[in-house]
Amino acid sequence: VIERMYKAFSIANHVPGYAYGIVVDGQLLYKGADGYANLEEKIPATTSSMFRIASMSKSFTSLAILHLRDAGKLKLDDPIDQYIPAMKGQVLTKDGAPITIRHLMSHQAGFPEDNPWGDRQLDDSEADLIALIEKGLSFSNTTGSYYEYSNLGFAMLGYIIHQVSGLTYDAYIKQSILDPLGMQHTTYEYRTIPKENLAKGYRTIKGNWVNVPLLKDGIYGAMGGMITSIDDFAKYVALHQAAWPERNEPENNVIKRSTVREMHQPYTFIGL
C-alpha cells in the first residue's frame, strides 16, 4: 500500500526519483526508493541517496539556536541588532518593537515572503548578507504582529549562530547535532558527496527534465541547504519522537527533551 501511494504521488507530480521511510517509536521500520537520483547517468535513487531537504533545514537551525540558549549563550528575546548591528533601527514603523531572535524563528520579523528567491541565494556569503542588510531591508508587517514566511530571517539565524558560537552555522550543527546523532553523511556542501550518492535537482520545461544546478554552501544554507538521506534523517526524526511522552528517564546526549517539545509548540497564528 505504501509503495503504491508513493508511486502514484511521483507519477502525478512528475517526480524523477524519491526515497521514503517510516519512523515509529524511534525506529526506521520501513523504507524504500524508486526512480533516478541522476537521470543523465541513470543512477537509481536509494534510501542512501543524498537529497537536498530544502526548508526542513530550518528545523536544525532552530534546534542549534535552542542548544545555544540552553547553554546560556543567548536568549530568545535578545534583539537581533545585538548580533547584527546593521539591523539597528530597521523596522516597518518607528513604533514597532525591535526584532528578536524569537521573531526570526517564528517568522514574525515583518519581512516579506521571499520564496523562491531564497533558494537561489544559498551560496551567498556572510558578507553578502550584511551588505544586503546595510542597504536597508523591505518590510511588509510590523514586528511581532503577523506571520510571514522568511528565508532571510533564517539566514540571519545562521549568522547569529556563528557570532555566538565562533563556529559557522554548519560546523556548529555538525558538532552539536549531527555527530551526536550519528548522522555521518549529512552535509551542506554537495561537492563533498560522491556522484553516485547525490540526488540531482530537476524541473520540467515543455515536458522535458532540465537539471537545476545545486549551489555551494553559503549563509542561506541555514534556511534550506542541508543534504541528507532517509537513513540519516530518520535519526533526527527519532530524536523528536523521543521527546514524548514526558518522563523521568535520563536525557539523551544531544538536547533536553523539554527543549525539543518547546520546538513543537505553535508561537503565532498563520491566519484566522
Side-chain angles (χ1 to χ4, degrees):
V1 170
I2 294 164
E3 289 172 0
R4 288 199 302 270
M5 180 179 71
Y6 276 100
K7 186 70 173 180
F9 180 90
S10 71
I11 293 171
N13 292 276
H14 209 211
V15 174
Y18 60 91
Y20 59 88
I22 298 174
V23 181
V24 180
D25 294 334
Q27 299 297 316
L28 180 58
L29 294 186
Y30 188 72
K31 61 183 181 178
D34 198 9
Y36 293 100
N38 183 321
L39 287 172
E40 292 81 5
E41 301 188 37
K42 294 293 185 285
I43 298 174
T46 72
T47 59
S48 297
S49 296
M50 301 291 287
F51 290 83
R52 179 179 161 235
I53 63 169
S55 284
M56 287 190 287
S57 309
K58 291 181 173 69
S59 179
F60 291 83
T61 301
S62 294
L63 191 64
I65 288 285
L66 290 169
H67 194 270
L68 288 166
R69 188 278 312 272
D70 287 356
K73 302 292 181 62
L74 56 75
K75 297 177 181 177
L76 298 190
D77 292 316
D78 285 344
I80 63 171
D81 61 25
Q82 182 174 327
Y83 308 99
I84 311 175
M87 281 302 300
K88 191 169 184 64
Q90 292 211 48
V91 287
L92 179 65
T93 60
K94 291 182 179 179
D95 65 352
I99 300 171
T100 67
I101 291 174
R102 191 188 303 274
H103 288 139
L104 296 181
M105 294 174 74
S106 55
H107 299 283
Q108 295 184 88
F111 303 140
E113 166 82 30
D114 58 5
N115 279 327
W117 171 84
D119 284 300
R120 303 316 296 171
Q121 314 304 314
L122 285 176
D123 59 354
D124 278 12
S125 67
E126 289 189 349
D128 292 329
L129 174 64
I130 297 305
L132 176 71
I133 294 169
E134 288 176 341
K135 289 179 183 177
L137 298 176
S138 299
F139 289 84
S140 55
N141 294 304
T142 302
T143 308
S145 299
Y146 302 97
Y147 172 96
E148 190 158 0
Y149 195 83
S150 175
N151 290 308
L152 173 61
F154 270 76
M156 289 182 179
L157 289 171
Y159 184 85
I160 290 170
I161 289 169
H162 188 184
Q163 296 303 300
V164 173
S165 71
L167 298 173
T168 57
Y169 75 87
D170 53 320
Y172 188 79
I173 288 171
K174 181 179 186 333
Q175 174 184 285
S176 62
I177 303 172
L178 302 181
D179 286 350
L181 286 177
M183 296 176 67
Q184 298 174 348
H185 303 292
T186 299
T187 182
Y188 289 87
E189 182 50 74
Y190 81 93
R191 295 176 297 183
T192 65
I193 301 170
K195 180 178 65 176
E196 61 271 18
N197 294 121
L198 179 63
K200 297 176 70 175
Y202 299 90
R203 62 181 298 186
T204 51
I205 299 178
K206 296 181 179 179
N208 297 313
W209 290 114
V210 177
N211 176 241
V212 179
L214 290 163
L215 298 174
K216 67 181 179 65
D217 184 31
I219 190 59
Y220 280 81
M223 70 84 192
M226 180 173 280
I227 304 171
T228 190
S229 66
I230 286 295
D231 292 332
D232 257 18
F233 192 68
K235 299 171 184 177
Y236 186 66
V237 174
L239 175 73
H240 282 267
Q241 289 184 346
W244 303 91
E246 304 89 332
R247 58 197 184 276
N248 294 320
E249 294 176 7
E251 293 281 1
N252 60 66
N253 67 335
V254 181
I255 198 162
K256 295 186 298 183
R257 290 190 295 269
S258 61
T259 297
V260 178
R261 294 194 294 268
E262 185 180 353
M263 286 183 70
H264 299 169
Q265 307 308 312
Y267 276 86
T268 188
F269 292 107
I270 291 179
L272 287 174

